[in-house]
């Protein structure tokens, strides 16, 4: 496994899969979800409509349509409530996404900082969970990119890696 931290827009990346921090309807939203749907085009929403939503901590895969990425893995992060469950669910997002990546012969995957936008997860805590969980897959032949939209997140990931 190779892990890299990148600053920028996840929709522009040329990787096998990008991960979407979606909401449970999978029918689009703001933040990174809105950006991915805008960049992928209407066909992405049409495929998402067939999926019947997604539970918090789980993940579903679609094609990438107009994106360079072949796939989008949609996962639903927890809304932060400062409960023990939050970290379990956030960890589960990374695990569910990696499980789909391994099942679908994906060898490069880019993650946004799930739950750290509108869902309010403290960035430092969320980045720690992301890195710790992803490192459990270090035996696999996969490049993992942590994509940061802001300098704070970029700094946090770089300190951890
Ligand atoms: P959530 O609802 O899971 O909190 P958000 O989309 O609100 O999801 O935010 C998740 C993270 O994605 C935030 O750190 C936000 O800054 C970042 N983000 C927003 N747009 C993009 C983008 N185009 N590429 C990468 N990261 C993005």
């Amino acid at each position: 496994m190779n892990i890299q931290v990148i600053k920028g827009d996840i929709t522009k990346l040329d990787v096998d899969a990008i991960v979407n921090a979606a909401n449970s309807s999978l029918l689009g939203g703001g933040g990174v979800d809105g950006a991915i749907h805008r960049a992928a085009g209407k066909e992405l929403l049409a495929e998402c409509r067939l999926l019947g939503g997604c539970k918090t901590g789980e993940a579903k895969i679609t094609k990438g349509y107009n994106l360079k990425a072949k796939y989008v893995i949609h996962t639903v992060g927890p809304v932060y409530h400062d409960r023990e469950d939050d970290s379990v669910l956030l960890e589960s997002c990374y695990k569910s996404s990696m499980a789909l990546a391994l099942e679908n012969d994906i060898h490069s995957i880019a993650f946004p900082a799930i739950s750290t936008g509108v869902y309010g997860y403290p960035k430092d805590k969320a980045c720690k969970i992301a890195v710790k969980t992803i490192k459990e897959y270090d035996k696999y032949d996969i490049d993992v990119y942590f994509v940061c939209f802001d300098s704070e997140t970029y700094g946090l990931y770089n300190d951890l890696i």
Side-chain angles (χ1 to χ4, degrees), residues 8-11 21 30-33 35 112-120 147 149-150:
D9 180 353
I10 200 166
T11 66
V32 71
D33 195 0
I114 299 164
S115 283
T116 67
V118 176
Y119 283 2
V147 186
F149 217 44
D150 58 86

Side-chain angles (χ1 to χ4, degrees), residues 44-104:
L44 178 61
L45 183 59
E47 186 176 354
C48 284
R49 282 211 175 91
L50 307 173
L51 298 177
C54 182
K55 291 187 186 134
T56 304
E58 296 184 1
K60 295 202 174 169
I61 191 164
T62 64
K63 289 186 272 185
Y65 298 99
N66 297 338
L67 295 167
K68 282 187 187 149
K70 185 172 178 199
Y71 298 105
V72 179
I73 294 174
H74 307 261
T75 188
V76 182
V79 175
Y80 187 71
H81 289 113
D82 196 11
R83 293 191 202 125
E84 208 173 308
D85 218 28
D86 300 334
S87 62
V88 176
L89 290 169
L90 187 58
E91 196 178 306
S92 175
C93 287
Y94 286 93
K95 287 185 171 166
S96 308
S97 301
M98 287 301 281
L100 283 175
L102 300 177
E103 275 169 33
N104 287 278

Side-chain angles (χ1 to χ4, degrees), residues 28-43:
V32 71
D33 195 0
I36 288 172
H37 276 276
R38 279 193 298 278
K42 285 188 183 135
E43 283 170 300

